[in-house]
Amino acid sequence: MLIVGWQERVDLPLLGLSNLKAKIDTGARTSALHATDIVAFERDGAPWVRFHTRFDDDAHDTDVECPIHDQREIKNTSGIPERRIIIRTKFRISDRLWSIDLSLTERTEMKFRMIVGRTALRRHSILVNPRKRNLTTPKSTATKVGRKQSS
């Protein structure tokens, strides 16, 4: 059993994104990743997507291309359904790695650029402690990227 906090640092290694600040949100069914300039295109007869993602907390500013897994109606934070592109990629939290589905959506105004929903956690023996955060982040990394050190 892996115990995680409501906020954790995670990696999306196939997208070249690491140490991302993510909210573990069991109220959300589907995980979401901040994306702008989303363009669907075809590569070798298969549907692909190109998008830009930026994480203000870590200054990640990345252009990504990957296959489209699906398109679905997903309710936004206001409960309004919107059609979103879904990608499937590898997700790492602590020392565990597995595939998850991520919806691409504009999250500029949101505090967290990535939400990890309950479907991504299901069947992986994850317990969320809503009173804690960064339980899986090594203290040296958390100090370096998440907190200022005092001299």
Side-chain angles (χ1 to χ4, degrees):
M1 178 75 58
L2 176 64
I3 300 173
V4 302
W6 68 269
Q7 174 186 313
E8 291 293 340
R9 294 284 174 165
V10 302
D11 301 328
L12 301 172
L14 296 180
L15 303 183
L17 300 170
S18 60
N19 202 33
L20 305 175
K21 184 172 77 171
K23 181 179 180 184
I24 310 302
D25 187 352
T26 59
R29 179 181 298 141
T30 308
S31 300
L33 179 67
H34 170 65
T36 58
D37 305 322
I38 301 169
V39 177
F41 65 98
E42 196 172 289
R43 177 175 286 163
D44 299 326
W48 278 59
V49 64
R50 175 182 304 117
F51 62 92
H52 184 80
T53 188
R54 178 168 174 77
F55 283 74
D56 292 335
D57 62 321
D58 297 313
H60 287 296
D61 199 0
T62 307
D63 291 310
V64 177
E65 289 186 354
C66 59
I68 293 175
H69 175 68
D70 196 6
Q71 291 192 37
R72 298 183 202 144
E73 292 285 324
I74 296 177
K75 291 182 183 173
N76 65 20
T77 54
S78 302
I80 299 167
E82 28 179 74
R83 188 128 183 102
R84 293 188 192 169
I85 290 175
I86 308 294
I87 62 171
R88 180 166 283 166
T89 192
K90 293 292 185 183
F91 168 80
R92 181 181 297 120
I93 187 166
S94 186
D95 60 351
R96 296 195 189 178
L97 178 73
W98 65 87
S99 293
I100 67 168
D101 290 352
L102 279 173
S103 72
L104 303 179
T105 187
E106 169 77 39
R107 296 185 56 83
T108 302
E109 301 302 318
M110 303 298 190
K111 183 174 180 183
F112 291 90
R113 300 294 175 97
M114 182 173 174
I115 296 293
V116 180
R118 64 183 177 269
T119 303
L121 304 175
R122 189 171 54 200
R123 294 189 293 274
H124 292 284
S125 298
I126 304 287
L127 179 66
V128 181
N129 183 335
R131 296 181 63 197
K132 302 283 185 177
R133 63 183 183 168
N134 298 318
L135 293 177
T136 66
T137 306
K139 291 196 185 313
S140 61
T141 303
T143 300
K144 183 171 78 176
V145 297
R147 299 183 190 107
K148 293 182 181 175
Q149 287 182 311
S150 24
S151 307

